[in-house]
Structure formats: structure tokens, C-alpha cells
Amino acid sequence: MAVFDTHCHLDIVASQGISVEQSLRNAMDANLAGLVQISTDLKSATFNSRIMEQYSKLLKGSEFSLRWTAGLHPEAAQELHTLDELFSLIRNYRDDDSFLGIGETGLDYFHTTEFVSEQKQSLNAHLKLARELDLPVVIHTRDTRQYEPGKTQSVSDTLQAVRDVGNIQGVLHCFTYSYEEAMPFVDLGWKVSFSGILTFKNSHTLHDAAVKLPLECLMVETDAPFLAPVPNRGKTNEPAYVVHTLEFLKKLRAEKLGEDPEKIQKQIEANTAEFLAFKGSR
Ligand SMILES: [Zn+2]
């Protein structure tokens, strides 16, 4: 296995001018092992549920692994009324090989202070379904106090919700906080995924977290089309660019900890394989 983009939105990338087919071709050309196509609402979940069929020709004969999720993004919490339909889609596809799990769900106190109670309701419903169906969750959190260690309300509220429901595995996607905030999740067996933000010069808290966190919890992602890593910062992001975030992480840990880059690469691959096998593992 080579590097995997554990979180991207090919449908949104396409709306910014790079077709799904082109993204997939570029990812294969960049020797990615695969990607996880993440849902943000009912519409994208429906798109995701058809993606294997739609691109089967392109994927035929290749080892490239395409996995997908379904869930309601916290910024779409006003669409709470679509949850019933979304959840029946999840039940229908639960045992499909390409279906990975639930998300993205979570809490976002940065983009909107509206619909906070809807966001919490939605997160809780997703977590309960995840426990019932033994599926991992992909968690999105944002806060106005993003870079003040220990003060991210969206993370502590999410942790509380996860503990209340109990016995769930998942990933903190596009992680932008401190070591201290990640560790309670890592202790539960969760993964922590770094996006292109890690490669930005001023992401000091994040660089610190990426060095301190145990190697066994780390994964990488693009969150494409958002947040393209250096040297493509400012461009439309796409899965192929995940290699830059991985290289940055390897270099950072090799420099600060003296870890062997080859060993880092192998462990991140193993972590990703473990994450991809979370479904049905409890
Ligand atoms: Zn996302």
C-alpha cells in the first residue's frame, strides 16, 4: 500500500473545475493507493453511493481503492429533516465493500453560531447510529479559538458526546489543534488526520502536535478542494496533492525525533489500513 487520501470531496472539486474522472486519474498517476470520498449532506451521500458504479470503467484493472462515507456536515445542520433518509441510505449500504462509515459529522462553532442545537442533535444521532451499526465516524470540528491549546469548545463538546454514546471508533479529520486535545481521542483508539494546513509555515501548534502524537494514530488527507498543501497553496486542492502533506510530516518527525522516514511511511500506511477496517471491528 502507498499513501491514501483519507478525506476528500470529489463532487466539490468537480464544481471547481477538475472533473471527478480527472481527479481519479491524477491520484492514480501520483501512485496513491486510494481515497475516501466524504459526504456532507443527502445529495452528496447519494452521489457517493453511485460512485463505484459510475467510475467502474476507470477503476477496472487497477489496485486503486475507492471508499466512501455518508453523513450530514455540521454546517448543513439546518437540513436535520433529511437525516431519516440519509440514515436509511447508510443502512442500505452498510455491508457494501466500498462503504466505509459515517460522516462527516461534528460541531462547527466557527463558520456559524446558528443551529448549534441542531448540530448537537445531528452529531448525537450520527454517533448512535455508528454504535448501532458498528461503523467508524469522521469528525469535523471548528472553533473560533482554533489555536489556543485546551480551549476548543467544539472538541471538548464532541469528546463528551462520544463518551456519552460510548464504544465508537473514528477519526478527527483536518486536525488543527494541540496534542492535549487529540490525546483523549487517541486513548479511545481514534486516528488523527492532518491536512495541508500542516505544511503552512505558521501552523506552530499543529507542528508541535504532529511531533508529540504517537506515530500509531497519524493519517493524512487533503480535504480537497480546500486547503491545498504547500507548494500548491492557493490552488484547487485534489487528492494527488496528499503526497506533499505526507512528505512534510515525514520530514518534520525525522528532523525532530530522528525517526526513519521509511518507518514513518510504513506506519502511516498501517494506521490507514486499520482505519479502513474499523467497520465491524467492535
Ligand atoms: Zn471535509
Side-chain angles (χ1 to χ4, degrees), residues 3 38 42 50 63 91 128 162 165 175 245 254 258 266 275:
V3 62
I38 303 286
L42 179 59
R50 293 172 185 153
E63 304 265 287
R91 289 178 189 280
K128 283 181 180 153
V162 166
V165 175
F175 187 72
T245 304
K266 285 267 171 301
F275 170 68

Side-chain angles (χ1 to χ4, degrees), residues 49 72 78 219:
S49 70
L72 187 66
Q78 71 273 24
M219 299 201 303

Side-chain angles (χ1 to χ4, degrees), residues 7 9 104 173 223:
H7 189 117
H9 304 273
E104 57 188 293
H173 114 81
D223 203 11

Side-chain angles (χ1 to χ4, degrees), residues 1-193:
M1 189 167 146
V3 62
F4 216 96
D5 182 0
T6 65
H7 189 117
C8 66
H9 304 273
L10 296 177
D11 48 336
I12 311 179
V13 175
S15 75
Q16 299 199 4
I18 305 168
S19 70
V20 174
E21 194 173 326
Q22 193 59 55
S23 282
L24 288 171
R25 281 188 197 285
N26 293 347
M28 288 191 249
D29 288 347
N31 281 321
L32 264 62
L35 59 82
V36 185
Q37 162 65 15
I38 303 286
S39 151
T40 53
D41 57 11
L42 179 59
K43 190 173 163 231
S44 64
T46 308
F47 169 85
N48 291 1
S49 70
R50 293 172 185 153
I51 199 167
M52 295 303 292
E53 207 185 308
Q54 205 158 354
Y55 297 95
S56 60
K57 234 183 172 171
L58 185 69
L59 298 168
K60 207 177 161 195
S62 92
E63 304 265 287
F64 193 82
S65 168
L66 184 52
R67 305 287 298 272
W68 60 276
T69 69
L72 187 66
H73 194 287
E75 281 182 81
Q78 71 273 24
E79 292 169 31
L80 206 57
H81 58 276
T82 62
L83 274 195
D84 281 351
E85 206 177 325
L86 194 52
F87 285 7
S88 60
L89 183 148
I90 291 172
R91 289 178 189 280
N92 281 339
Y93 285 92
R94 159 71 177 74
D95 296 323
D96 205 285
D97 285 342
S98 62
F99 178 69
L100 175 87
I102 292 181
E104 57 188 293
T105 178
L107 298 169
D108 192 315
Y109 301 156
F110 177 78
H111 287 105
T112 173
T113 48
E114 277 182 294
F115 304 114
V116 167
S117 88
E118 284 86 351
Q119 287 191 37
K120 288 184 172 169
Q121 258 186 71
S122 176
L123 172 63
N124 261 311
H126 282 82
L127 293 176
K128 283 181 180 153
L129 188 69
R131 192 185 54 185
E132 184 200 325
L133 301 179
D134 195 0
L135 292 168
V137 286
V138 177
I139 294 289
H140 165 108
T141 55
R142 278 293 307 266
D143 222 278
T144 45
R145 294 169 135 174
Q146 202 83 334
Y147 299 107
E148 286 182 58
K151 291 189 176 167
T152 35
Q153 194 67 38
S154 61
V155 180
S156 49
D157 287 355
T158 299
L159 180 62
Q160 191 57 53
V162 166
R163 282 186 172 148
D164 286 349
V165 175
N167 208 18
I168 304 169
Q169 279 173 316
V171 59
L172 295 177
H173 114 81
C174 193
F175 187 72
T176 48
Y177 310 102
S178 64
Y179 165 83
E180 286 76 13
E181 277 145 323
M183 277 315 287
F185 290 91
V186 174
D187 288 339
L188 294 173
W190 284 46
K191 302 297 177 203
V192 178
S193 179

